[in-house]
């Protein structure tokens, strides 16, 4: 059966409901005074309205076709003393992951060259540390210098930093430091007990003060409530400056972690979180991060419509797998998306 849809004449008045949405108070302005009620209202509004707002904001600052392609490398795997309940690399979780030492600088740069050849413009190095030792930082600084010399944007995630360590990374040319708050302040203690969210915020302020771009987001599907997803966005959006980059990860369930048996999160909740991040932090890169392998193409498409504009590309994240590169290329083609220069 075909349904005849009468097109709205081009010169017809724009319905007031659309005018109201487009001109919603300060839509697209960078604010740091969000209330919980405001963020919750954005998050829970009807999905078409939320996606319309997110697309409107996205188009104010970005080309909606462009997606940044990043590659991740675990430069030091496993044996981490922190007890993050989601993580394959914590010594508190019996995941069977073999710990390894910090990689050689040259090996890391070989991987960076391969990432560049495959089309990545950003290279992110992750280490399973609570915080780096100063001597380890010498090697990481050499890696950052090498990655920059290849013309790639550099990102590192090494655990907690002192102000001095953040300064050294800045001097080496580091563009972004990733340090996630992971969830709301209220739920944080249910996920990690070996540090507090305030410890995380302290490192973020050292990173900010050193002049490095902040990459900070979280994970969904850890057993948190919708209010925690709202609380996480509220915390990020009310930082003194918004993170330049906000990764939103779907939990990768790892055998041997306390979250292994978690129920799957409704993908629409994931899309709502991405869209709310876009509306509340208009200029940030919103990164559709871990969890794409088990996500349908349609959910990923909704995330891009919701304002996500970066993905991790390549067969591996840190210790878990990522979608096949052919699938990603085909998906971008089908959606008319192009890699960000
Ligand atoms: N040790 C450093 C730290 O925690 O900041 C850097 C590496 S850590 C693996 C980087 C981020 O990856 C974590 O903050 C977390 O948000 C994300 N992550 C780790 N395991 C994950 C999982 N199983 N599913 C989704 N995201 C995960
Ligand atoms: C982030 O928020 N997600 C990336 C990146 N920052 C470093 C890491 C995802 C890790 C997924 C689990 C793993 O591969 O071990
Ligand atoms: Fe360690 Fe980072 Fe994993 Fe936590 S998330 S256990 S800090 S590697």
């Amino acid at each position: 059966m075909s349904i005849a849809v009468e097109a709205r004449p081009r010169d017809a008045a724009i319905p007031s409901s659309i005018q109201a949405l487009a001109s919603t108070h300060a839509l697209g302005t960078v604010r740091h005074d969000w209330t919980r009620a405001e963020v919750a209202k954005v998050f829970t509004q009807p999905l078409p309205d939320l996606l319309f707002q997110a697309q409107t904001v996205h188009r104010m600052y970005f080309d909606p076709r462009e997606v940044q392609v990043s590659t991740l490398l675990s430069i030091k795997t496993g044996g981490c003393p922190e007890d993050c309940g989601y993580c394959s690399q914590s010594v508190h979780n019996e995941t069977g992951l073999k710990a390894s030492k910090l990689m050689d600088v040259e090996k890391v740069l070989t991987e960076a060259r391969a990432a560049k050849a495959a089309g990545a413009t950003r290279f992110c190095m992750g280490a399973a540390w609570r915080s780096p030792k100063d001597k380890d930082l010498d090697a990481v600084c050499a890696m950052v210098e090498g990655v920059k010399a290849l013309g790639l944007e550099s990102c590192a995630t090494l655990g907690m930093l002192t102000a001095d360590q953040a300064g050294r990374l800045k001097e080496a040319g580091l563009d972004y430091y990733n340090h996630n708050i992971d969830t709301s302040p209220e739920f944080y203690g249910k996920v990690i007990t070996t540090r507090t969210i305030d410890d995380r915020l302290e490192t973020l302020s050292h990173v900010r003060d050193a002049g490095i771009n902040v990459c900070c987001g979280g994970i969904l599907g850890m057993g948190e409530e919708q209010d925690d997803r709202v609380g996480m966005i509220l915390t990020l959006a009310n930082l003194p400056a918004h993170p330049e980059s906000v990764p939103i990860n779907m939990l990768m369930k790892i055998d041997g972690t306390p979250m292994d048996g978690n129920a799957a999160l409704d993908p629409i909740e994931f899309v709502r979180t991405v869209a709310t991040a876009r509306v509340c932090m208009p200029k940030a890169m919103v990164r559709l991060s871990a969890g794409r392998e088990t996500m349908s193409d349609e959910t990923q498409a909704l995330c891009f419509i919701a304002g996500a504009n970066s993905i991790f590309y390549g067969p591996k994240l840190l210790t878990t797998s990522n979608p096949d590169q052919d699938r990603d290329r085909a998906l971008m083609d089908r959606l008319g998306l192009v890699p960000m220069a």
Side-chain angles (χ1 to χ4, degrees):
M1 185 183 77
S2 71
I3 300 170
V5 178
E6 205 173 309
R8 190 167 61 82
R10 280 185 153 268
D11 56 356
I14 297 171
S16 58
S17 58
I18 294 183
Q19 281 180 23
L21 273 173
S23 66
T24 298
H25 166 68
L27 192 62
T29 20
V30 174
R31 298 173 46 196
H32 304 274
D33 59 351
W34 290 90
T35 64
R36 178 174 286 272
E38 281 176 317
V39 177
K41 195 170 168 197
V42 171
F43 194 107
T44 58
Q45 67 189 310
L47 192 68
D49 294 344
L50 174 56
L51 292 183
F52 179 74
Q53 280 192 354
Q55 263 290 303
T56 305
V57 173
H58 193 57
R59 282 160 190 266
M60 287 178 183
Y61 299 105
F62 296 100
D63 180 334
R65 293 167 305 173
E66 288 189 347
V67 174
Q68 189 181 40
V69 174
S70 308
T71 293
L72 258 178
L73 178 68
S74 180
I75 58 170
K76 195 272 163 202
T77 306
C80 183
E82 302 271 31
D83 71 351
C84 310
Y86 47 77
C87 190
S88 60
Q89 307 197 65
S90 165
V91 292
H92 302 267
N93 300 331
E94 286 188 17
T95 64
L97 186 80
K98 200 170 157 276
S100 61
K101 289 200 182 129
L102 181 61
M103 281 173 74
D104 289 337
V105 177
E106 260 323 304
K107 277 202 178 135
V108 171
L109 296 182
T110 301
E111 296 284 341
R113 277 187 281 272
K116 185 175 175 175
T121 56
R122 182 174 203 260
F123 192 69
C124 182
M125 295 165 276
W129 289 320
R130 174 173 164 82
S131 49
K133 295 193 187 79
D134 283 342
K135 89 165 169 22
D136 291 328
L137 211 62
D138 293 338
V140 177
C141 287
M143 292 170 194
V144 170
E145 281 162 14
V147 168
K148 291 294 294 173
L150 291 172
L152 288 165
E153 193 173 274
S154 59
C155 177
T157 178
L158 317 168
M160 292 184 277
L161 297 181
T162 63
D164 187 53
Q165 290 177 324
R168 288 182 59 200
L169 287 166
K170 172 69 185 173
E171 259 174 51
L174 186 70
D175 296 303
Y176 283 82
Y177 194 77
N178 168 241
H179 200 64
N180 291 341
I181 59 166
D182 282 334
T183 189
S184 68
E186 296 76 22
F187 194 65
Y188 199 83
K190 296 255 169 25
V191 177
I192 301 149
T193 68
T194 48
R195 58 168 189 259
T196 64
I197 198 165
D198 286 340
D199 293 329
R200 275 325 236 195
L201 295 172
E202 190 179 323
T203 291
L204 290 170
S205 70
H206 295 325
V207 169
R208 175 66 69 208
D209 291 348
I212 301 170
N213 292 308
V214 168
C215 174
C216 184
I219 309 177
L220 310 186
M222 298 194 293
E224 76 285 348
E225 303 287 331
Q226 186 181 76
D227 206 34
D228 295 306
R229 297 187 272 279
V230 167
M232 178 175 91
I233 302 293
L234 177 70
T235 305
L236 295 171
N238 283 346
L239 287 172
H242 290 169
E244 282 76 11
S245 160
V246 179
I248 308 289
N249 297 275
M250 182 73 103
L251 175 72
M252 302 285 291
K253 290 187 206 168
I254 313 271
D255 278 353
T257 63
M259 297 181 184
D260 183 24
N262 277 19
L265 180 76
D266 172 5
I268 298 298
E269 277 293 299
F270 191 91
V271 172
R272 283 184 177 280
T273 311
V274 169
T276 306
R278 168 54 65 223
V279 170
C280 297
M281 291 169 279
K283 294 186 181 179
M285 297 292 296
V286 176
R287 302 188 192 278
L288 172 53
S289 301
R292 290 195 304 111
E293 202 188 25
T294 52
M295 236 175 242
S296 70
D297 286 356
E298 293 78 5
T299 299
Q300 294 188 60
L302 278 174
C303 289
F304 295 123
I305 294 168
N309 57 353
S310 171
I311 56 168
F312 288 114
Y313 176 73
K316 217 168 166 199
L317 293 165
L318 291 173
T319 67
T320 61
S321 55
N322 206 30
D324 193 75
Q325 280 149 290
D326 290 342
R327 178 184 161 198
D328 277 346
R329 275 195 294 269
L331 178 62
M332 287 185 61
D333 280 350
R334 284 166 69 208
L335 302 181
L337 302 176
V338 293
M340 199 177 275

